[in-house]
Amino acid sequence: MAEVQVDTHLRRSSLDLSMSDELSSCGAVLLGPGPLSPRVLHPPPTDSLPSVRTLLEHKALHEGLEDAFFVADLGAVIRQHKKWQRCLPRVEPFYAVKCNTDPEVLRTLLPLCAGFDCASKGEIETMLGMGVSPSNIIYANPCKSPEHIRYARDHGVHLMTFDNADELAKVKAINPQAKMVLRILTDDSKSVCRFGTKFGAHLPATYPLLQTARHLGLDVVGVSFHVGSGCQDPMAFDDAVRRAKKVFEEGARLGYRFSLLDVGGGFPGSEKRHSADDPDIHGKAEGSVTFEAIAAVLGRAIYTHFPDPAVRVIAEPGRYYVAPAFTLATTITSRRAVYHPAVAAGDSLNAANDSTLPQRAVSMDCGSAEVGEGGRADGGKPGGVLIEESGAEGLRQETAQGTLSAGEDKSFMYYVNDGVYGSFNCLLFDHAQAFPKVLSAKARPVRHKESAWVGAWYECSVWGPTCDSMDCISKKTLLPEMMIGDWLYFEEMGAYTLSAASRFNGFELSHVFYTNTEALP
Ligand SMILES: *Cc1c(COP(=O)(O)O)cnc(C)c1O
């Protein structure tokens, strides 16, 4: 692990943090906006830094922030690493940089990970710039541009993947010294994000590919795969390791002595989203396969099929390391109270083919803005069934009556200041689901564990800030009545969120504040 060269100067200067008066007053240290002026402790003095919850409340309720913001707990990254070491001691993690490129996250991972999985010149540049040795980078993109291969070559990055013959010819012409890793196709049918449609050599193609490599005089050093992201079946890893073993044998027949097995990424990072007994969760994001279950299967498969310790086993975990580390807080910037007479609404909702969305956007599926049979191209009320509340007064009277059962009568559309074009792009690209939780309602903090909120809960929908009607964060979720200026928060928002967020429609990316609740191993 210690092969990663850390820029000690960088680390020392990051200790130079400026105290925030307000935070000191709540027993906390530190923390400014992230990418602009990273000022976090490396390594952290664990017990003096605030919990995520403390920081959320402090920033949202006491400091009077208005923009959406993240709280990143770098300690969550460290905890994931400790778990990795416990469960998969033989497998060296090469963090997949694309998943979250936050500089503090990367800096936290520098001394932890054996290396980094980069897919482009830009990512390679970033990691080299942070002091990572080129030999600790795998250029894990089977289809690379010539310019980027040249850049990698000129900077000493020689380990790279391929899955087709044209790539071999291209690499041979640019960098005959390359150490090639054959990416094979695996059964990704059980994964939420399937990669097999884009990358990976079919098993029948691997032998001819290796022959081509041999012919070109290229050095092939091993095999890689990626079972897909959000893998729901641990046996997919077992199957993939068996396939890799076959390809190792093919290599041996051609005179290669492979020394690298790369088991890719796809390890789940979400902890809470998977637990059905979490009362805060009104649905499940993915299945319930845990990292531990996958690690048990994978560990056994490696032990069985690759008993030779001379074979180095690496992985390219992305989401696993960062998903639990980021919590996003958003303000309710607007809301729309919607009232729908129970009887008439039933029929019309069915006619509009989506009885799951009790608001005006009846037939809208997140991800497509099609208009249902109700015909609301103008965004108006479907068949005049749903009636918007006209005044806040009547509203207050009704909600004061106590719990309203889900789906009845009334709901709210809440509009918040980050959305699908920003941090929630994971809803589109990563098939994620968002589970809003209440940080404050009617200007008072709400702590879920205490069930302190005695008022009614409604079936609500939550929307992003852009003008696009597909900018929907949650079509249906139970929330109390909240006011403009109240806060929602979303846990486990560290994977494929900020790294792919855009500024569409003129909305800025959400800031990151850091804390750290775990000691280095
Ligand atoms: C994206 C990617 C990863 C990381 O995947 P996760 O599901 O985040 O673990 C690893 N390897 C390759 C080649 C990738 O493209």
Side-chain angles (χ1 to χ4, degrees):
M1 307 254 146
E3 310 239 311
V4 179
Q5 290 161 13
V6 179
D7 180 342
T8 47
H9 173 69
L10 198 68
R11 296 185 68 196
R12 205 169 306 120
S13 63
S14 69
L15 286 164
D16 226 10
L17 56 115
S18 61
M19 289 274 198
S20 140
D21 289 333
E22 297 97 322
L23 266 169
S24 328
S25 72
C26 77
V29 210
L30 128 173
L31 336 168
L36 304 174
S37 57
R39 285 179 279 149
V40 88
L41 294 174
H42 288 279
T46 46
D47 42 28
S48 60
L49 291 179
S51 71
V52 171
R53 178 76 203 194
T54 304
L55 204 48
L56 281 174
E57 286 193 7
H58 188 87
K59 292 284 170 193
L61 308 178
H62 304 302
E63 264 184 28
L65 286 194
E66 293 187 55
D67 293 334
F69 66 91
F70 281 97
V71 169
D73 179 5
L74 301 171
V77 175
I78 299 171
R79 275 192 292 279
Q80 290 296 86
H81 181 70
K82 288 178 175 176
K83 184 156 80 175
W84 183 283
Q85 287 184 308
R86 237 181 8 252
C87 298
L88 285 173
R90 175 151 172 219
V91 184
E92 300 173 50
F94 278 53
Y95 172 68
V97 172
K98 72 172 183 292
C99 185
N100 185 325
T101 55
D102 180 283
E104 290 304 317
V105 166
L106 296 178
R107 210 175 300 176
T108 302
L109 287 166
L110 280 181
L112 303 180
C113 285
F116 293 86
D117 157 1
C118 299
S120 64
K121 172 181 165 182
E123 288 183 355
I124 293 172
E125 208 170 2
T126 299
M127 296 323 298
L128 293 177
M130 296 189 86
V132 174
S133 155
S135 61
N136 290 332
I137 289 175
I138 180 165
Y139 187 179
N141 185 341
C143 300
K144 301 166 283 297
S145 86
E147 190 219 332
H148 293 200
I149 297 171
R150 241 176 274 126
Y151 176 87
R153 174 200 66 197
D154 294 345
H155 292 80
V157 176
H158 298 295
L159 188 63
M160 61 190 75
T161 60
F162 75 102
D163 65 3
N164 66 83
D166 291 83
E167 194 74 7
L168 282 174
K170 184 173 65 188
V171 170
K172 166 72 180 180
I174 299 171
N175 183 6
Q177 309 299 315
K179 304 274 177 217
M180 305 303 290
V181 178
L182 174 51
R183 172 141 164 203
I184 59 169
L185 195 64
T186 61
D187 177 11
D188 63 356
S189 60
K190 301 277 169 48
S191 292
V192 178
C193 295
R194 301 177 67 173
F195 288 168
T197 43
K198 186 165 180 185
F199 296 126
H202 286 270
L203 270 196
T206 54
Y207 191 76
L209 269 177
L210 292 173
Q211 281 180 309
T212 304
R214 187 92 258 186
H215 204 73
L216 289 167
L218 275 169
D219 192 11
V220 182
V221 298
V223 175
S224 79
F225 56 78
H226 195 303
V227 299
S229 285
C231 177
Q232 289 311 298
D233 182 5
M235 290 312 287
F237 279 91
D238 180 80
D239 179 64
V241 170
R242 287 167 195 268
R243 291 182 192 215
K245 169 78 174 169
K246 284 206 188 90
V247 180
F248 264 65
E249 287 162 1
E250 289 175 354
R253 261 186 273 149
L254 287 164
Y256 284 118
R257 278 199 70 207
F258 291 169
S259 57
L260 184 75
L261 172 66
D262 175 357
V263 300
F267 303 91
S270 175
E271 292 164 340
K272 299 194 175 103
R273 280 188 193 186
H274 296 293
S275 78
D277 54 10
D278 184 344
D280 295 334
I281 300 300
H282 313 301
K284 291 220 284 177
E286 296 156 20
S288 50
V289 176
T290 62
F291 171 71
E292 285 85 347
I294 286 176
V297 170
L298 176 60
R300 186 166 6 92
I302 293 169
Y303 180 80
T304 308
H305 303 292
F306 292 89
D308 182 358
V311 174
R312 186 182 188 197
V313 186
I314 69 170
E316 302 161 350
R319 71 189 57 245
Y320 169 79
Y321 269 94
V322 294
F326 280 54
T327 303
L328 175 66
T330 63
T331 334
I332 292 171
T333 54
S334 307
R335 71 167 207 184
R336 183 192 310 275
V338 187
Y339 173 72
H340 33 99
V343 184
D347 293 347
S348 174
L349 285 171
N350 289 338
N353 251 336
D354 184 357
S355 57
T356 61
L357 189 63
Q359 297 83 25
R360 56 155 58 185
V362 177
S363 66
M364 205 202 77
D365 182 9
C366 285
S368 78
E370 280 160 29
V371 174
E373 281 175 28
R376 298 165 297 104
D378 61 352
K381 305 166 187 78
V385 174
L386 304 186
I387 302 159
E388 274 179 49
E389 278 285 340
S390 47
E393 206 39 54
L395 203 97
R396 220 167 278 137
Q397 281 166 16
E398 275 203 57
T399 55
Q401 292 165 5
T403 307
L404 198 70
S405 58
E408 204 177 321
D409 250 356
K410 175 176 316 196
S411 58
F412 296 95
M413 297 169 72
Y414 292 123
Y415 299 78
V416 300
N417 43 8
D418 199 345
V420 163
Y421 284 90
S423 307
F424 288 101
N425 69 82
C426 56
L427 301 189
L428 297 186
F429 299 132
D430 198 35
H431 304 269
Q433 277 181 269
F435 301 107
K437 294 185 174 185
V438 183
L439 189 59
S440 69
K442 298 188 176 171
R444 309 193 55 169
V446 173
R447 293 201 172 86
H448 275 248
K449 293 261 158 57
E450 298 166 13
S451 306
W453 188 257
V454 291
W457 289 69
Y458 303 88
E459 250 183 28
C460 299
S461 54
V462 182
W463 303 78
T466 68
C467 292
D468 190 337
S469 63
M470 75 182 277
D471 192 359
C472 176
I473 295 168
S474 177
K475 286 201 288 181
K476 191 171 81 169
T477 184
L478 282 178
L479 292 170
E481 181 181 352
M482 302 173 72
M483 313 298 283
I484 290 166
D486 280 335
W487 291 83
L488 289 171
Y489 70 103
F490 301 81
E491 294 177 307
E492 299 186 333
M493 286 286 290
Y496 305 107
T497 49
L498 268 182
S499 64
S502 80
R503 291 184 169 82
F504 176 64
N505 236 180
F507 293 98
E508 288 304 311
L509 304 189
S510 297
H511 278 304
V512 184
F513 299 100
Y514 302 92
T515 189
N516 192 336
T517 59
E518 183 78 24
L520 287 169

